[in-house]
Every structure is written in structure tokens, then in C-alpha cells.
Amino acid sequence: MHWLTPLFVLAVLASSAVGLWLSERQATEVARHRTRVPAPFADTVSSAEHAKAADYTIARVRFGRIGAVVDTALTLALTVGGGIAAVDALWRATRLTQPWLGVAVIATVALLIQLVNLPFSLWRTFGLEARFGFNRTTPALFLADLGKALALAVLLGGPLLVATLLLMERAGRWWWLWAWVLWLAVMLLMAWAWPVFIAPLFNRFVPLQNQALKARIEALLARCGFASRGVFVVDNSRRSSHGNAYFTGIGRHKRIVFFDTLLEHLAHPEVEAVLAHELGHFRLKHVRKRLLLSMVTMLAGLALLGWLARQPGFYAALGVPVPSTHAALLLFVLVVPVFTFFVTPLASLWSRRHEFEADAFASQHASAVELATALVKLHRDNATTLTPDPVYAAFFYSHPPPLTRITRLRAAAAVPAA
């Protein structure tokens, strides 16, 4: 598999180059429209707010470019540069046996990646976000979140990693099928456990207290035939002023969660419209379709890994002279995103179609006007650019560009009901 080395390096450099080119397009387009608010937003977004959104977007793009270059260098250094091989050689000198040798090597590489990314996370939180008035995270809270995340990675990810390595070592040729069953079970277990046991470790969730809003939401749920275990408000204002809403949990254990920052800025009819949009994703089976796709993708990926792990040339082509189960797992995790980067536009297109469908659902069960108004407020308060580059948006945007989406909602509102 000597051909894999130049193909991999070419893919890494090509994906990085495409990403940098697209980000430059985005920054140029946003800067070009910085002083002109699009006509449909002229009455609701001020020139100062529009300029702030442009500056915030450009700053994030430039920051992302630095991160992309570092990620490219790190990927090459760990693979063809011999980084994984060096870590593996160091731990082999301790004479650890499997699966503990594999755990030690993977944990070390993961820690190295986290240490490289830590300065970027710090700057994003206390530099970029603070500069534009969004950050509310204190250093103590940042360190607490970091410690909790690390503890969860060890307590939850550790046993899963050990089990996976044992399956790779001892379950024979079809180990990847058993691993898929295990990962699928863990994924479903985590979807159930996250809202009840894990998320409360990071945030405080309280039942929605506003009775008028609660009654409006319950009426919407009844109209849509949606069962929920409750409506909660999360104290996201401890960390950021950005607003959002989401569903969590599976089956009959689904919860509706609103950021407290979102409820501070939206009127009750607007909150109802935003929730109707989210309900649309469930009623139109978007969540189920995405789950099924992730299951199929996971199975295909593990099957591919099962084949690659038996090819000595796979390791040699990517800078690892000694084949092992843990090296196969590490290489696969680093290599696959390089190639899947090029299908990003297809995933984005699929996601945007789902957003349009959920908007249409919300227009039928709530108000298109209120949803459009809520989106304008969210874009304004979150400093989201209203003038993205079309090519950049087509490649990366999981949601339709603001102007396209809100224009469509307003057009739907103008059509008389049948």
C-alpha cells in the first residue's frame, strides 16, 4: 500500500487548502458588506449590530485558519511524521501487555492532541468571545469543566476503549461487528443517560416556571402529538450570552431545554415558533434518519477498519512500522476525517433541506412570522453574519443562510391559508 502515503498527504494538503480558500472567501464577502445592512433586515438590525456581526465572523474565520493549519501539521506529524510510532515505542519499552499497552498509547496521543488544542480553547473563550461581549465563563469554571470532561473521558471512554481493544485482539475476523453492537448500545445508553445524569454535572436544569409560556408550549405539544418528560431551562448564561434551544433524550424520556439567555430575548409567540421548528425535526423523522445514517456509517467504518487492520502496508504507509490494534484504531481516527471532509457539502445540503422542512412544519403549527422574527433576533444577538459567501455557505452551513431562510418564511406567511 505504498500508494496510500502520497494519497493521504495529498488529501491532507488539499482539504487544508480548500478550507483556507473557502475561509478567505467568507472573510472577503463579509467585509465587503460590512457597512450595508441587507434590505429585509434594515428595520430590525442596526448598522452597528451588522458591523459587529461582520467583525465577529471575520475574527472567527481568521482564528479558524490558524487552527486549521495547526491541525494539518499535527495530523501529518502524528502519522507520516512518526509521532504515533514514537509514542508506541516509548510505551513498548515498559513491557506493558494488551490491552493496557494500547490504552496507554491512545491515551497519550489523545492527551497530546488536547494539549495542542488547549491554547486555542483558552483564546476562543477568554480572547475572541470576551472581545465581542459573549463570554461569561470564569477561569475557575473553565478549569472545572475541563476537569469534569477529563474525568468522564476516563470513566466512560476508558472501559469502552478497553472493550474495543479486547474485541480487536480476541474476537477474530468479525470483531468489528461485535464492536458495532457494543458502540451502538453505548450510544443509545448515553442518549438516555445524558439529560438525567451527565448534563447536570455541567449545568443547572430547572423546570420552566413561567406558567403562561408553559401553557402555550403544552398546547403546542398537544397539537403536534409530542410526548415529553418536561420543559427545562438551563443556566447557559454562566458561560455565554449566546441563546439556543434543543431536545435531549430518547423515546418517552425526551426533554425540551431552553437556554435562559434565549428566554430573555424572545417573546412567548417567538419561543413557541422556535420550539415548533424543533418539533418538526422529530415529527418529520429527521432525527431518526440521522441516527440511522450514523449507525450505517459506523458499521461501514468499522468494517473498513477490520480490513485495514489486517494489512501491514496500512501501518507502514502511515508512519507506524509495528502493526497493532491500537495503532490501527488511532490511524483510522486520524485518517478518515481527512477523506470525509470532501463529502461535507453533501451533508450540509441534506441538513439544510431538513431545516427548510422543519420551518414549513413550524409555519403550519405555529407562526411563520414569529419564527422569522425570532430568527432575526437570534442572528442579531448571536452576531451571526447576514451576508455569508455563497460558496462557503454551500460547503459548511448546516442551516440555510439567514436571508434565504427568513425571506422564505416571510413569503410563507404572506400566502393565505387554504
Side-chain angles (χ1 to χ4, degrees):
M1 300 180 71
H2 297 296
W3 51 268
L4 182 57
T5 304
L7 178 62
F8 172 67
V9 173
L10 179 62
V12 170
L13 297 178
S15 61
S16 179
V18 170
L20 294 173
W21 172 68
L22 288 170
S23 65
E24 182 60 29
R25 285 185 60 100
Q26 173 80 334
T28 301
E29 182 70 8
V30 171
R32 189 165 69 89
H33 293 280
R34 182 182 183 277
T35 58
R36 295 189 300 275
V37 181
F41 299 95
D43 296 333
T44 51
V45 178
S46 69
S47 297
E49 290 167 335
H50 181 66
K52 176 185 176 180
D55 294 340
Y56 180 55
T57 301
I58 293 169
R60 290 181 64 189
V61 165
R62 289 174 176 169
F63 178 73
R65 288 164 66 89
I66 299 172
V69 171
V70 172
D71 284 344
T72 297
L74 183 60
T75 299
L76 292 173
L78 287 173
T79 53
V80 294
I84 292 175
V87 172
D88 186 59
L90 286 173
W91 278 109
R92 284 184 183 278
T94 65
R95 302 189 182 280
L96 281 174
T97 58
Q98 293 288 14
W100 311 116
L101 172 62
V103 170
V105 173
I106 292 175
T108 302
V109 172
L111 182 60
L112 288 173
I113 293 172
Q114 289 300 313
L115 289 174
V116 170
N117 288 326
L118 182 59
F120 292 94
S121 180
L122 286 167
W123 175 249
R124 183 183 301 108
T125 302
F126 298 106
L128 180 60
E129 292 292 308
R131 174 185 164 193
F132 288 93
F134 293 123
N135 178 56
R136 295 177 182 175
T137 302
T138 63
L141 183 58
F142 182 91
L143 290 175
D145 285 347
L146 192 64
K148 292 175 184 177
L150 180 60
L152 286 173
V154 173
L155 294 175
L156 301 179
L160 180 60
L161 176 59
V162 171
T164 301
L165 290 173
L166 285 173
L167 286 173
M168 294 178 73
E169 288 279 343
R170 303 177 185 179
R173 192 182 187 91
W174 296 92
W175 69 264
W176 53 270
L177 189 57
W178 295 108
W180 179 71
V181 173
L182 173 64
W183 288 17
L184 186 58
V186 171
M187 182 175 68
L188 295 176
L189 178 63
M190 288 295 295
W192 170 80
W194 182 267
V196 181
F197 301 108
I198 300 176
L201 296 174
F202 296 89
N203 288 95
R204 183 169 176 259
F205 295 80
V206 296
L208 179 64
Q209 299 298 316
N210 190 300
Q211 295 303 309
L213 179 58
K214 185 176 180 181
R216 181 183 285 270
I217 289 174
E218 289 175 348
L220 173 65
L221 296 178
R223 292 199 304 273
C224 297
F226 186 88
S228 168
R229 278 299 178 94
V231 182
F232 294 83
V233 180
V234 60
D235 59 342
N236 189 70
S237 56
R238 295 173 60 208
R239 293 175 173 80
S240 172
S241 62
H242 291 299
N244 203 351
Y246 65 92
F247 285 98
T248 186
I250 57 175
R252 295 184 177 272
H253 299 279
K254 294 186 291 291
R255 290 184 175 189
I256 300 166
V257 179
F258 291 110
F259 284 20
D260 54 356
T261 46
L262 180 135
L263 297 180
E264 290 172 1
H265 297 102
L266 298 187
H268 290 183
E270 295 164 351
V271 173
E272 179 187 33
V274 170
L275 179 57
H277 169 89
E278 298 299 331
L279 285 172
H281 286 305
F282 277 90
R283 300 305 296 172
L284 298 172
K285 298 181 172 57
H286 295 161
V287 176
R288 184 179 301 176
K289 290 175 183 176
R290 294 178 188 185
L291 178 60
L292 289 173
L293 178 63
S294 67
M295 290 166 57
V296 172
T297 303
M298 185 193 306
L299 179 61
L302 284 169
L304 177 59
L305 175 58
W307 178 77
L308 289 172
R310 301 195 304 271
Q311 313 303 316
F314 171 65
Y315 305 90
L318 296 172
V320 177
V322 182
S324 64
T325 52
H326 57 270
L329 199 56
L330 270 175
L331 290 173
F332 192 75
V333 169
L334 289 171
V335 169
V336 166
V338 173
F339 292 100
T340 56
F341 171 83
F342 298 101
V343 302
T344 300
L346 296 178
S348 299
L349 176 62
W350 193 46
S351 178
R352 289 195 299 272
R353 286 182 176 176
H354 283 177
E355 295 302 322
F356 279 133
E357 291 172 2
D359 281 351
F361 181 92
S363 299
Q364 295 171 1
H365 294 83
S367 167
V369 172
E370 298 295 351
L371 180 56
T373 304
L375 290 173
V376 170
K377 289 183 178 180
L378 289 172
H379 287 306
R380 181 190 63 203
D381 296 339
N382 291 330
T384 304
T385 181
L386 304 175
T387 57
D389 172 66
V391 180
Y392 182 94
F395 202 98
F396 288 118
Y397 273 29
S398 61
H399 288 62
L403 185 57
T404 303
R405 187 178 183 186
I406 292 170
T407 299
R408 179 179 288 205
L409 282 169
R410 287 174 175 171
V415 176

